[in-house]
């Protein structure tokens, strides 16, 4: 059985989502189904079919989260140290041509959010820099073409 690396923040977010699905969304959906049933003929009842479809989504997502949490390997970056890029590291990259700096935290696949600077461990950029050391240069293929970056900083912050 494969393990999913995950930060404590990612684990909390999934647990919170699962709790919300079970304690808020599921009961609301049950009420919606009961209300739609009261309208009569179920064959032509769009509200009923929409509520049943949502029920399927809620149950499917709940099972998916449960499976991921059961297989999660929680790694706390605050307990890591060093100058090598590994899962959980927050890495500052400097574009060697433009001098532009970008900072990414390497997190699990289920907690990645590029808008917040959190990239999945399976992302091409993360795969290119994992195992590299502070000061190393790395060539990364991006949407803008091939770029060369230097690893300017490696930090391990609490999640």
């Amino acid at each position: 059985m494969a393990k999913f690396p995950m930060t404590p923040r990612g684990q909390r977010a999934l647990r919170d989502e699962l709790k919300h699905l079970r304690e808020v969304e599921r009961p609301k959906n049950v009420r919606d189904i009961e209300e739609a049933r009261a309208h009569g003929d179920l064959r032509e009842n769009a509200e009923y079919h929409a509520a049943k479809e949502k029920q399927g989504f809620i149950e499917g997502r709940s099972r998916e989260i449960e499976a991921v949490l059961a297989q999660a390997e929680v790694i706390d970056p605050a307990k890591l140290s060093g100058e090598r890029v590994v899962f959980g590291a927050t890495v500052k990259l400097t574009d060697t041509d433009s001098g532009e700096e970008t900072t990414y935290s390497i997190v699990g696949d289920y907690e990645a959010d590029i808008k917040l600077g959190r990239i999945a461990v399976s992302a091409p950029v993360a795969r290119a820099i994992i195992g590299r050391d502070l000061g190393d240069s790395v060539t990364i293929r991006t949407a803008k073409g091939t770029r060369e970056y230097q690893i300017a900083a490696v930090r391990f912050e609490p999640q």
Side-chain angles (χ1 to χ4, degrees):
M1 182 175 350
K3 290 282 188 183
F4 295 107
M6 184 176 297
T7 65
R9 176 192 302 144
Q11 183 185 41
R12 277 191 306 277
L14 285 177
R15 283 188 176 155
D16 290 347
E17 181 182 353
L18 183 60
K19 182 177 180 179
H20 179 76
L21 287 170
R22 287 180 175 165
E23 296 177 5
V24 177
E25 293 296 326
R26 186 183 284 161
K28 180 185 179 308
N29 181 251
V30 168
R31 287 190 303 275
D32 291 345
I33 290 172
E34 288 172 359
E35 185 179 313
R37 268 197 177 134
H39 293 301
D41 188 6
L42 298 181
R43 291 175 297 178
E44 296 178 13
N45 188 330
E47 289 176 7
Y48 175 78
H49 292 292
K52 290 298 280 184
E53 188 174 311
K54 185 168 184 176
Q55 180 185 35
F57 169 79
I58 291 169
E59 296 306 317
R61 181 66 180 151
S62 295
R63 282 192 300 276
E64 178 185 11
I65 293 170
E66 288 169 347
V68 169
L69 288 172
Q71 297 175 47
E73 179 180 350
V74 180
I75 300 168
D76 188 353
K79 295 180 180 175
L80 303 174
S81 63
E83 296 182 342
R84 177 161 289 189
V85 179
V86 295
F87 176 86
T90 298
V91 182
K92 183 190 296 184
L93 300 174
T94 304
D95 187 315
T96 56
D97 292 333
S98 69
E100 184 181 325
E101 292 184 338
T102 309
T103 301
Y104 295 116
S105 294
I106 302 172
V107 298
D109 291 336
Y110 291 91
E111 56 189 308
D113 187 342
I114 193 67
K115 293 175 190 158
L116 298 174
R118 296 194 298 250
I119 59 172
V121 67
S122 61
V125 172
R127 288 196 320 256
I129 62 176
I130 286 179
R132 303 293 182 108
D133 292 310
L134 179 65
D136 283 357
S137 289
V138 60
T139 303
I140 302 173
R141 274 191 272 181
T142 67
K144 298 177 183 177
T146 302
R147 308 287 274 233
E148 186 169 327
Y149 293 93
Q150 182 174 21
I151 299 173
V154 178
R155 302 185 313 272
F156 296 94
E157 301 169 344
Q159 297 283 317

